[in-house]
Amino acid sequence: MSGFGVYIHWPYCAAICPYCDFNVYRAKDRDPEPLLEALIADLEGHAARFPTSPAQTLFLGGGTPSLLNGRQIGRLLAAVERILGLTPGAEITLEANPEDRSRFAEQAAAGINRFSIGAQALDDAALKALGRFHASAEAEAAVEAAARTGGRVSLDLIYARHGQSLSDWDKELRRALSWPVEHASLYQLTVKAGTAFARAQARGVLAAPGPELASAFYEATLMTTQALGFPAYEVSNHARNRAAWSAHNLLYWTGGQWLGLGPGAHGRLLTPKGLIATEAHARPEAYIRAVRETGIGWDQSYCLTGEEAGDERLLMGLRTVLGAPIADIEAFWGRPMRRDRLALLQSEGFLTAEDGFVRLTAKGLIVADRIALELSTP
Ligand SMILES: C[S@@+](CC[C@H](N)C(=O)[O-])C[C@H]1O[C@@H](n2cnc3c(N)ncnc32)[C@H](O)[C@@H]1O
Ligand code: SF4
């Protein structure tokens, strides 16, 4: 276990995008105040129950936390500082929609030092199809506004979209990476059950790229980013250099601990009982009520079994260039990893096993989940 951070989920959005299945709600007619108060009370409830340590990272994710103004963000950050403490130079990230760029300066003044900007596409027709309110010029303006604050800047893009060609994607990617960003999260479009896109696909209005084209998109992404000096350090995450890696996301991928606050937030905490997984009530009203009534927003918390903790460490570690630590995983499982399977997957070019770590090759990254399953089966 290494590192500790805080994730705060702000679930409200100006509108719900047709591809998104995150825990999100329309911001219209919602007063942010009860949720802000509940988040701070939840933090206090946590500190009353568990020993605390200063946070090395704080991630305000969503939903759309960039809807919050500098004063509101300042209140949240001050509460974390007062109740847990923040280590010097802590990474404090805000997930931000481009249309909220006029607030970036006040948000940075409140303590945000890293902006993760949801550009999603650099093609105006595609942005419209994604249900977004911004044009690509506004995404560029948002990157510039974030860079002007002196903060670190990351960009989110979605590719393998309906109707997008490999050469369209190549052009978008090259343009985006010429902007003043140090990091990019590049996600293949996943059409999730229950979303408007899933309904459109079911009606035959939209057609998703088949598995071969999807693999071609991923391989092209790896090659172009590498050539442009943004190599992948995780399946979907790319950075200019080691210092630009997301310290907060590394907690998830390297067995760190984090406190999850806000509707639907997940957490992982090491307690005297063992490693516990926590999940907060998903609906904002239920979360706010739970915090008022019990002092904490959790809907459920349970101790991970050794098998579950080992599987999670393997799957997450395999997603990164750091790899998965074999001895740690075996210690969680209480049994050895199958060396015959490791050797076979290595001979087939999917992975390497050196210095006690399993690391996936580019060929292995495409099928990371399947390899994790093969290695975790006794
Ligand atoms: C939960 S969203 C929050 C970010 C912010 N509200 C925004 O929309 O820009 C985080 C990121 O997940 C990605 N994402 C959401 N739904 C997706 C999907 N169905 N397929 C691929 N990426 C998705 C988007 O790139 C998005 O920026
Ligand atoms: S993609 Fe972002 S803005 Fe759109 S619904 Fe999801 S969280 Fe909200």
Side-chain angles (χ1 to χ4, degrees), residues 13 15-17 19-20 22 24 62-64 97 120 132:
C13 296
I16 306 305
C17 304
Y19 54 86
C20 184
F22 283 77
V24 290
T64 309
N97 287 34
Q120 316 308 359
R132 304 292 294 196

Side-chain angles (χ1 to χ4, degrees), residues 8 56 118 172 200 205 209 234 238 247 263-264 271 311 321 332-333 341 365 369:
I8 297 182
Q56 293 151 5
E172 285 184 67
V205 179
E234 192 269 348
H238 301 255
T271 71
D311 287 355
V321 292
F332 277 127
W333 284 341
R341 294 213 184 106
L365 276 178
D369 292 0

Side-chain angles (χ1 to χ4, degrees), residues 265-314:
H266 291 250
R268 289 284 181 284
L269 297 169
L270 195 57
T271 71
K273 286 190 196 155
L275 179 63
I276 62 165
T278 69
E279 188 178 344
H281 287 274
R283 297 196 66 80
E285 307 73 34
Y287 172 78
I288 293 166
R289 194 179 329 114
V291 175
R292 282 185 187 149
E293 288 172 4
T294 69
I296 206 146
W298 293 350
D299 182 20
Q300 48 176 320
S301 65
Y302 67 95
C303 222
L304 291 176
T305 64
E307 207 48 47
E308 288 169 332
D311 287 355
E312 185 167 279
R313 186 71 190 84
L314 174 66

Side-chain angles (χ1 to χ4, degrees), residues 9 13 17 19-22 24 61-65 95-98 116-120 132 156-158 185 187-192 195:
H9 190 75
C13 296
C17 304
Y19 54 86
C20 184
D21 84 333
F22 283 77
V24 290
T64 309
E95 259 183 350
N97 287 34
S116 170
I117 297 173
Q120 316 308 359
R132 304 292 294 196
D156 282 6
L157 291 171
I158 299 179
S185 300
Y187 300 113
Q188 280 219 15
L189 175 66
T190 41
V191 175
K192 311 257 178 69
T195 61

